[in-house]
Amino acid sequence: MTAPHLHQDARSDETSAFAPVPFWARPAGVTLIVGGWMLIHALIAIFFEIAINADDAIESYMVQSLELSYVPRNPPFFDWLLWGLQRVVGTGALSFAVLRYALLFACAMLVWRVARRVIGDPRLQALATFSLSAIWVIGYHSHRILTHSNVMIVAIAGAFLTLTALTQRRSAGLYASLGAWIAVGLLGKFGFAAFLGVLLVACLIEPAYRRVLFDRRIGLTLAAAAVPLVIYGWALYRLDQDVAAATAQTIGATGAGWDDVLASVVSALGGYVLPLVFLIAVVFLPSNRGEGPAPDDGARGPARRVLRTIIVAGIVVTLAGTIAVGTTSLRDRYFHVFLLLLPVYLFAELERLGGWRKRVGLYLGLLAAASLGVMVARMAVPLWPDPRLCGRCMAAEPLYKLRAAIAGRLGPAPTLVADDRTSAGRLRAAIPGARVVIVRELQYRPPAREATGCARVTGIVNGLPRLLLPPAGQNTLEMSVKWWSPMMNPHRWSDWQMTILPPDDPLCR
């Protein structure tokens, strides 16, 4: 979806006026540091976190088959990727770690390519890329709760990069690539549509970008995006999946007062931009005399102004929309749509301000310390899963200890019945070869297959009264299992039940 032209800098490192460039700001250094960050977090997910988290669990349940659409709330591109990956590496934590950090790596490298077109100094380009880790939704929450959003942010960065490249050299290939990014974005998460809306407004305001939109080759963009989106729309129609109703359900209760709505917006916005904005302000603004400011560059100015319009318009639209609807369901991760490229814009403005060169080391140190703290916190959860530290501590629950009992009673390819999608998906990740269904499913249900046995498993939502009374005339096995928590005394325990069901039971079909 990108052309070689996208990988060329407006000004190469060798000819940069800011040479010599330190290793961490060169292409090899940026790639190594970003890749190392991803690898460490992937290893934590694989070797420390012994069960998958809630959002991953829902997708684990969904991808038991390949479908054009699963549920109307989310488009299917993430599930397609996960389904294909699990055919290769299995259904366990490895598949989720590989996909999550491959997407985050792709996003970071695309953001770096954007930074190289908006910012002149390679050191600030690298800082803008590394600063993605200071956006709390990426630096912390992305390891725990984000799935479809990770596809969307890759598409946001890719679409903006391609559009910016078109302002410098227009070609049929780049226009088609832009359409492909749009299709990936909309098939990744519906929120991408909001990004497209503000991006269109920002491009119409900026002459260099407006000329790109009014080129007749924009038809290639529309055609490349339309083909997969029409197929997906046809699937929604055939499956009678109502996206509008699902969106309304996500928004939740409406009619809240403007003060509650405003508080919700401020909280979500603050949750997204912090600690990024705080770190930049504390490190670079005090006593800044503006030494060595960069003049406004005619080549980079249009992209910077478009980013500014996206950020400002996005915040205004979000505030107006939430007040109009009266919802308090806004979450910090929703601001991915408008603020993903905020680090690039902030460092572009800092370059124009000047006075930053002597403070780069301090900023890098603070970023490294914050990243190390997140890594330590992630490792602490399975080592010390105290409810005061992590609540349910889902990543530390030893669901894998069910394998021996299930294999002994039900064989290698059982059908397991769970209470909800989260429980079902966590069971499937822990029990290779299992088909997992839930008691009451109104949308997606995994296709039937030959099974070596069937049982209902309850109690895997730890700490909640989800155990059932043993059904009359049926065999129920009760299990109490100690958590692997070497730093915690007394240890935590999980209580599970497995009720053997006959193969012809309606729950097993």
Side-chain angles (χ1 to χ4, degrees):
M1 284 181 287
T2 59
H5 175 70
L6 294 181
H7 305 299
Q8 299 174 358
D9 297 327
R11 186 187 308 171
S12 68
D13 292 338
E14 290 77 13
T15 60
S16 173
F18 304 101
V21 178
F23 174 75
W24 57 264
R26 299 174 190 169
V30 173
T31 304
L32 181 64
I33 292 170
V34 173
W37 187 87
M38 303 296 171
L39 179 61
I40 292 172
H41 278 290
L43 292 175
I44 292 172
I46 296 168
F47 294 108
F48 280 84
E49 297 176 347
I50 56 179
I52 61 175
N53 280 301
D55 283 26
D56 288 343
I58 294 174
E59 307 312 316
S60 174
Y61 168 74
M62 293 292 180
V63 297
Q64 296 182 72
S65 62
L66 181 62
E67 308 289 343
L68 281 176
S69 181
Y70 293 88
V71 294
R73 178 174 178 175
N74 283 312
F77 196 83
F78 179 88
D79 300 296
W80 295 344
L81 295 175
L82 183 61
W83 180 89
L85 188 59
Q86 290 192 345
R87 306 281 78 72
V88 178
V89 302
T91 62
L94 177 61
S95 63
F96 295 95
V98 170
L99 181 54
R100 169 170 285 113
Y101 295 105
L103 290 172
L104 288 176
F105 179 79
C107 175
M109 298 311 293
L110 287 168
V111 169
W112 178 56
R113 297 291 182 186
V114 171
R116 297 178 84 173
R117 292 181 175 274
V118 183
I119 302 170
D121 192 294
R123 289 167 290 183
L124 293 181
Q125 297 165 3
L127 289 185
T129 307
F130 301 154
S131 293
L132 289 172
S133 65
I135 296 176
W136 204 235
V137 176
I138 295 176
Y140 180 71
H141 288 312
S142 64
H143 311 299
R144 302 170 52 250
I145 61 173
L146 298 185
T147 51
H148 299 269
S149 295
N150 289 337
V151 174
M152 182 183 69
I153 61 177
V154 172
I156 288 173
F160 188 83
L161 174 62
T162 306
L163 190 61
T164 301
L166 280 166
T167 64
Q168 299 170 7
R169 184 179 71 88
R170 281 174 249 175
S171 70
L174 286 177
Y175 274 103
S177 296
L178 180 59
W181 282 121
I182 292 172
V184 169
L186 290 174
L187 290 173
K189 197 172 182 67
F190 293 128
F192 187 82
F195 167 74
L196 278 183
V198 295
L199 177 63
L200 179 61
V201 171
C203 290
L204 291 174
I205 294 173
E206 185 63 39
Y209 284 77
R210 185 168 62 243
R211 286 190 290 270
V212 171
L213 297 183
F214 290 160
D215 190 295
R216 62 184 180 183
R217 285 170 288 188
I218 197 68
L220 295 173
T221 299
L222 299 177
V227 173
L229 293 176
V230 166
I231 295 173
Y232 174 56
W234 172 82
L236 290 176
Y237 172 76
R238 288 296 302 270
L239 296 171
D240 195 25
Q241 294 184 351
D242 191 338
V243 173
T247 302
Q249 185 179 14
T250 302
I251 292 174
T254 59
W258 70 268
D259 51 343
D260 291 332
V261 173
L262 181 60
S264 174
V265 173
V266 171
S267 175
L269 180 60
Y272 192 90
V273 302
L274 295 175
L276 169 67
V277 172
F278 175 79
L279 284 176
I280 292 177
V282 167
V283 173
F284 293 109
L285 294 187
S287 303
N288 189 323
R289 296 182 175 84
E291 302 93 339
D296 200 355
D297 191 324
R300 294 185 169 90
R304 187 188 71 253
R305 291 190 291 271
V306 168
L307 283 179
R308 180 178 61 204
T309 302
I310 291 173
I311 293 167
V312 173
I315 294 173
V316 171
V317 167
T318 301
L319 178 60
T322 50
I323 290 178
V325 175
T327 179
T328 58
S329 300
L330 195 65
R331 300 290 181 266
D332 51 6
R333 59 185 178 272
Y334 297 169
F335 278 104
H336 264 330
V337 175
F338 307 121
L339 302 184
L340 173 67
L341 297 173
L342 177 64
V344 176
Y345 173 71
L346 291 178
F347 279 98
E349 293 292 358
L350 183 62
E351 184 174 44
R352 297 174 66 212
L353 173 65
W356 53 268
R357 288 175 174 80
K358 296 181 180 180
R359 310 183 190 200
V360 168
L362 174 61
Y363 186 77
L364 278 173
L366 292 175
L367 278 184
S371 292
L372 179 61
V374 171
M375 293 172 186
V376 171
R378 290 191 67 198
M379 291 187 288
V381 168
L383 294 174
W384 186 40
D386 192 296
R388 294 168 296 184
L389 174 67
C390 50
R392 290 166 60 189
C393 306
M394 297 177 70
E397 188 174 17
L399 288 171
Y400 67 91
K401 293 186 177 182
L402 282 167
R403 293 174 191 168
I406 289 176
R409 295 296 186 96
L410 303 176
T415 291
L416 304 179
V417 183
D419 290 317
D420 52 62
R421 292 176 183 172
T422 302
S423 302
R426 298 180 74 220
L427 272 175
R428 180 172 178 264
I431 314 298
R435 168 183 175 256
V436 185
V437 298
I438 64 176
V439 174
R440 185 170 181 269
E441 176 60 84
L442 300 178
Q443 295 177 340
Y444 169 79
R445 185 174 179 86
R449 70 172 195 190
E450 291 293 328
T452 56
C454 182
R456 181 170 182 180
V457 181
T458 60
I460 70 168
V461 182
N462 63 83
L464 299 176
R466 298 295 291 273
L467 297 177
L468 302 178
L469 292 175
Q474 292 184 338
N475 182 25
T476 295
L477 174 66
E478 297 191 1
M479 297 166 285
S480 186
V481 177
K482 183 175 68 174
W483 289 31
W484 180 78
S485 48
M487 295 174 59
M488 185 174 176
N489 190 18
H491 293 281
R492 289 183 74 167
W493 294 75
S494 283
D495 297 311
W496 301 319
Q497 285 179 330
M498 184 171 69
T499 302
I500 308 300
L501 300 175
D504 59 349
D505 190 293
L507 291 177
C508 301
R509 295 173 184 167

